[in-house]
């Protein structure tokens, strides 16, 4: 069984992952409306990953005898600006997520819940990848500017599995 404090913190994080999913969906919609279909597809991939993160936490909670609950998804931003500004927003968001995951691990350590601490290691590692992928795309965007390079990067991002 999960301790109440751990259950509450995990439930908050699971809902935060769903909020992230919607953030990326919103970014995907902006790219779609601008005809940047590769960027849009990449952001849809990001949306799916965040939904999977939420499921991962919720499945773990159920395994430990808890019942996850959904909260309302509010205040999803729209209109992020230029492509580089969209990705800078995403990076800033992921940096906050990393911070929240670290705080979550601290809380779980305080509660001495080894199984949950171990399960959360996956998220700690995932955040490293999330941030570095976004940094890589931002660097490319800054290098290529607005011309044909953007078209090529759109093609490249469309290939995301
Ligand atoms: Fe996530
Ligand atoms: Fe993420």
């Amino acid at each position: 069984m999960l301790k109440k404090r751990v259950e509450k913190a995990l439930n908050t994080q699971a809902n935060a992952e769903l909020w992230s999913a919607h953030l990326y969906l919103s970014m995907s919609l902006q790219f779609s409306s601008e005809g940047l279909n590769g960027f849009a597809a990449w952001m849809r991939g990001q949306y799916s990953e965040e939904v999977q993160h939420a499921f991962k936490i919720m499945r773990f909670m159920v395994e430990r005898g808890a019942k996850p609950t959904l909260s309302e998804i509010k205040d999803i931003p729209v209109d992020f600006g230029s492509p580089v500004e969209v990705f800078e927003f995403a990076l800033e968001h992921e940096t906050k997520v990393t911070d929240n995951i670290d705080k979550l691990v601290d809380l779980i350590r305080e509660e001495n819940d080894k199984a949950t601490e171990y399960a959360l290691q996956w998220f700690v590692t995932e955040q490293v990848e999330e941030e570095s992928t976004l940094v890589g795309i931002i660097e490319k965007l800054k290098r290529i500017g607005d011309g044909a390079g953007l078209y090529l990067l759109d093609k490249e991002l469309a290939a995301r599995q």
Side-chain angles (χ1 to χ4, degrees), residues 2-20 50 53-55 57-58 61 66-73 93 97 100-101 103-104 107-108 120 123:
L2 285 176
K3 288 176 187 157
K4 275 288 159 216
R5 188 171 172 232
V6 174
E7 180 178 338
K8 198 167 167 252
L10 287 178
N11 202 68
T12 301
Q13 187 54 41
N15 278 285
E17 298 290 346
L18 291 174
W19 194 91
S20 293
E50 299 297 352
H53 295 171
F55 283 170
I57 297 170
M58 288 174 168
M61 290 175 71
K67 183 178 183 292
T69 54
L70 294 172
S71 50
E72 203 181 339
I73 296 166
H93 174 67
V97 174
N100 286 337
I101 300 273
K103 284 183 184 134
L104 185 56
L107 181 150
I108 274 131
L120 281 177
F123 286 87

Side-chain angles (χ1 to χ4, degrees), residues 66-145:
K67 183 178 183 292
T69 54
L70 294 172
S71 50
E72 203 181 339
I73 296 166
K74 282 187 281 201
D75 306 323
I76 299 296
V78 287
D79 300 328
F80 301 91
S82 68
V84 71
E85 284 169 332
V86 179
F87 280 89
E88 279 171 345
F89 192 110
L91 177 61
E92 201 182 308
H93 174 67
E94 288 298 341
T95 308
K96 283 184 213 147
V97 174
T98 301
D99 201 42
N100 286 337
I101 300 273
D102 285 344
K103 284 183 184 134
L104 185 56
V105 173
D106 286 345
L107 181 150
I108 274 131
R109 284 196 180 141
E110 277 170 33
E111 296 296 331
N112 195 30
D113 181 340
K114 297 287 189 281
T116 305
E117 187 182 335
Y118 184 75
L120 281 177
Q121 286 312 305
W122 185 90
F123 286 87
V124 172
T125 312
E126 170 69 9
Q127 283 310 116
V128 176
E129 198 196 305
E130 288 273 60
E131 287 185 28
S132 93
T133 306
L134 291 168
V135 167
I137 296 173
I138 290 167
E139 279 171 3
K140 278 186 186 172
L141 277 167
K142 284 186 172 163
R143 209 171 302 139
I144 63 180

